[in-house]
Structure formats: structure tokens, C-alpha cells
Amino acid sequence: RKEVEQDPGPFNVPEGATVAFNCTYSNSASQSFFWYRQDCRKEPKLLMSVYSSGNEDGRFTAQLNRASQYISLLIRDSKLSDSATYLCVVNLFPNTDKLIFGTGTRLQVFP
Amino acid sequence: DGGITQSPKYLFRKEGQNVTLSCEQNLNHDAMYWYRQDPGQGLRLIYYSQIVNDFQKGDIAEGYSVSREKKESFPLTVTSAQKNPTAFYLCASSIGRGPYQETQYFGPGTRLLVL
């Protein structure tokens, strides 16, 4: 089983739609969780950290479910500019400083 | 402007040649990392460094070498021993060890192609 698993997509949605991505992780000792965004042929950029109580940043909402070992990202009112690959990232700190990256879920928003 | 710079943007390697990828940061971060990204795969860690003059192997260190002589610089050498070097190479940095301090920030990357 992969350490971090994501549905590769692509998710094709119209502008204004709500879309949700899930990500599962295998190590129950995982401590920190993130969503990164990567545009085509560019570097990943931090979108948001994921906190135990869930957190929201504008149109983006992240949730963590430790019991089921998954995190989710909800995007409301999708914009064309949201088209990108979304990477789920997990850290096992304090056991390691390494981040484990999922392979990403591709989102394509169309007019 | 604070950030991470990588050079060159594109690099071509001939068979049997060693090449060095540059990574510089002015964020005053202690930790620096090198990743490799191949199509359809997640980022894989090559080497990382928590402090000057110290570094550790990541998951795919074979065929690569690094140095960390200065806090702001972490160059990666792709040696001739790396048989499949064509990939997108990403350098990252973070403040350092500790919960919520490990958020990593990436440079723009270097694309390495083999001639």
C-alpha cells in the first residue's frame, strides 16, 4: 500500500461547481498534513495546512479524519484559475523530517 | 524579495558526464531538500540537510551527491552513476525541525535532459 494515495483524476468540472478530493495515508503516526498546488511544469506551492479541527481559507476547506486516515479538500465556486494538480502531503514528525507526497489529483475547470 | 532560486532552468547532460544543479535560498531557513519528480509519480526525496555541513540520504540517493558548506546553498550533483537522470529536480527549504515548522517552500525547478 502506498504511504499516501490520491485519485489521479482528472476531475473536469464547470466554473462555479463544488469539487472534493480525498487522500488516504497509511501511517497512523502521521502528524502534519498539507495540501499543495502544482501548476503544469511549475513547482508545488503550499495551498493550506490541515488542522485536526478542519480549517477554511476562502473557497477552500480542508478536513482531517484521523480514525479513517484520510484528509479532504473541498473547493467551492470553482474558478478557471483553480485548474492545477493538487498534492496531498503528510509528515511523520517527530519520527522523521521527511514529507511524503501523493502523486496528485488533477483538476480541470472549464467555462 | 525572499525566496529560493534554482539554476539553470534547463540542463542537458551527455553520457558519462557529471552535472551540478544550483539551489540558493535567502529565507534564512536551516533545512534544505532535493526532490526528483517524474511524470505520474510523486516527489521523491534525494537528499536533505538540517544544518550546515550535515546532510542525509533520502529515498533515492544513489547516483547523486550534495554539499552544504553554506546555510543558503545546497547544490546537487548528478553523477554518471545515475543511469536515468531525466527528470524535474526541485529544491526546497523549511525553517527547520519542529512541528508546524516543516512547511517546505520550493524553488522553480531544473529540468534535466540526457542527450
Side-chain angles (χ1 to χ4, degrees), chain B residues 7 33 36-37 51 54 56 58 66 70 84 86 95 103 105 110 113:
Chain B
S7 63
Y33 312 80
R36 168 181 173 143
Q37 188 175 35
I51 197 168
D54 188 40
Q56 287 79 41
V66 293
K70 298 186 294 182
N84 185 22
T86 297
I95 291 174
T103 302
Y105 300 91
T110 293
L113 299 166

Side-chain angles (χ1 to χ4, degrees), chain B residues 33-51:
Chain B
Y33 312 80
W34 273 106
Y35 293 90
R36 168 181 173 143
Q37 188 175 35
D38 295 278
Q41 294 197 38
L43 275 69
R44 292 184 290 168
L45 184 64
I46 304 172
Y47 268 98
Y48 65 106
S49 169
Q50 298 291 329
I51 197 168

Side-chain angles (χ1 to χ4, degrees), chain A:
Chain A
R1 183 183 173 188
K2 287 184 180 178
E3 291 178 282
V4 177
E5 290 203 68
Q6 297 182 250
D7 182 339
F11 285 61
N12 295 306
V13 302
E15 271 187 293
T18 296
V19 62
F21 309 136
N22 283 337
C23 164
T24 58
Y25 59 94
S26 60
N27 194 322
S28 59
S30 299
Q31 297 283 330
S32 302
F33 308 89
F34 309 89
W35 283 102
Y36 277 73
R37 170 195 168 127
Q38 186 173 25
D39 292 296
C40 188
R41 301 179 72 81
K42 299 285 189 181
E43 75 274 23
K45 293 184 178 177
L46 179 67
L47 179 67
M48 58 197 303
S49 301
V50 186
Y51 302 123
S52 296
S53 54
N55 49 299
E56 189 174 303
D57 183 1
R59 298 181 293 108
F60 299 85
T61 300
Q63 295 281 350
L64 168 64
N65 185 319
R66 284 193 184 272
S68 301
Q69 293 180 210
Y70 77 83
I71 66 174
S72 64
L73 178 68
L74 181 78
I75 305 175
R76 291 182 300 277
D77 189 23
S78 296
K79 312 289 185 192
L80 295 175
S81 58
D82 293 333
S83 298
T85 297
Y86 291 83
L87 306 177
C88 172
V89 184
V90 173
N91 190 339
L92 295 176
F93 182 91
N95 299 317
T96 174
D97 297 296
K98 296 193 304 182
L99 294 183
I100 310 298
F101 287 79
T103 54
T105 296
R106 191 163 150 238
L107 172 65
Q108 184 67 49
V109 181
F110 57 88

Side-chain angles (χ1 to χ4, degrees), chain B residues 14-85:
Chain B
K14 296 179 181 177
E15 293 285 343
Q17 188 181 38
N18 292 355
V19 292
T20 297
L21 284 60
S22 168
C23 177
E24 304 277 330
Q25 54 98 0
N26 61 5
L27 300 167
N28 200 33
H29 285 175
D30 285 317
M32 296 186 75
Y33 312 80
W34 273 106
Y35 293 90
R36 168 181 173 143
Q37 188 175 35
D38 295 278
Q41 294 197 38
L43 275 69
R44 292 184 290 168
L45 184 64
I46 304 172
Y47 268 98
Y48 65 106
S49 169
Q50 298 291 329
I51 197 168
V52 174
N53 293 321
D54 188 40
F55 49 82
Q56 287 79 41
K57 292 182 179 180
D59 301 316
I60 56 165
E62 187 174 347
Y64 300 97
S65 66
V66 293
S67 62
R68 186 86 187 275
E69 296 175 3
K70 298 186 294 182
K71 186 175 183 177
E72 58 270 21
S73 178
F74 191 39
L76 173 74
T77 296
V78 184
T79 74
S80 56
Q82 172 48 243
K83 297 306 177 189
N84 185 22

